[in-house]
């Protein structure tokens, strides 16, 4: 790939103006005639030809061909990135299925149905999973409370009893507020379920049952846009197990 700014200092003001237009409008340059480019940049055709030669091309036609190849390469790169992301999502689903323990699902379903109250706690992007779980549990007649408010996570533990159940949703399993809450709930002898990515984490030291999904990364401090598709898969399977036991 050529460095189009290599001879920038040797260019005239008019040539710099044309180059600036070319770099800002890469996708349309392959479709412009030299006269059209001259019109939109208010320069002569000679300026464009001189610029092309200073950039290392024989003329404007070769410059256009080069810009066209850059556009095609950019499209190909984007398609590869999209394909890689789709493959990553498929891998997440497939590997999550291998991590799901049927017995753990059954125990979790039994604990949810036996609990007087079910509390759900999640932070950051994982709150979307919390909303999803809350909605599904309520829709099948299971009383539950999603602790959405950050401040309430300090207070609700005062009302938790040994007859209740708390479900913690955390990709890393190391979210400070969630781990701290789990420590307080443990003192109340209430059952706890964690839904985390498959890795060693602090949360599993306090909960009574762990459900794992696969994730190729769990560093939500640097990137909280990490896909939670594995979480949603676990929730669907868990709800299905609960419904089977209710029927």
């Amino acid at each position: 790939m050529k460095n189009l700014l290599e001879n920038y200092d040797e260019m005239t003001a008019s040539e710099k103006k044309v180059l600036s237009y070319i770099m800002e409008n890469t996708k349309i340059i392959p479709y412009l005639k030299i006269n059209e480019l001259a019109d939109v940049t208010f320069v002569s055709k000679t300026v464009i030809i001189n610029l092309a030669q200073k950039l290392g091309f024989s003329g404007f036609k070769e410059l256009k061909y080069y810009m066209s190849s850059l556009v095609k390469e950019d499209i190909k790169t984007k398609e590869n990135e999209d394909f890689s992301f789709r493959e990553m999502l498929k891998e997440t689903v497939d590997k999550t299925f291998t991590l799901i323990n049927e017995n753990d699902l059954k125990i979790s379903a039994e604990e949810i149905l036996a609990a007087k109250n079910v509390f759900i706690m999640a932070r950051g992007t994982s709150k979307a999973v919390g909303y999803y779980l809350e909605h599904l549990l309520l829709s099948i007649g299971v009383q539950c409370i999603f602790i959405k408010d950050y401040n309430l996570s300090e207070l609700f533990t005062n009302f938790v009893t040994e007859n209740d159940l708390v479900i913690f949703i955390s990709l890393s399993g190391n979210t400070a507020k969630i781990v701290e809450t789990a420590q307080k709930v443990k003192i109340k002898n209430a059952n706890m379920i964690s839904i985390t990515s498959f890795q060693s984490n602090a949360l599993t030291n306090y909960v009574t049952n762990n459900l794992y999904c696969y994730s190729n990364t769990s560093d939500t401090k640097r990137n909280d846009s990490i896909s939670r598709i594995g979480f949603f898969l676990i929730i669907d399977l868990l709800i299905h197990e609960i419904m089977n036991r209710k029927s």
Side-chain angles (χ1 to χ4, degrees), residues 195-227:
I195 304 177
T196 70
S197 62
F198 185 65
Q199 61 172 356
S200 175
N201 63 75
L203 189 55
T204 57
N205 295 324
Y206 304 100
V207 303
T208 50
N209 199 20
N210 310 301
L211 299 176
Y212 294 111
C213 75
Y214 172 79
S215 178
N216 63 346
T217 179
S218 60
D219 188 359
T220 54
K221 287 185 178 181
R222 295 186 179 183
N223 178 20
D224 202 26
S225 66
I226 301 168
S227 172

Side-chain angles (χ1 to χ4, degrees), residues 234-247:
I234 288 176
I235 298 302
D236 283 344
L237 291 171
L238 180 59
I239 294 297
H240 180 72
E241 187 66 36
I242 294 171
M243 290 177 65
N244 283 343
R245 294 180 175 277
K246 282 175 65 71
S247 58

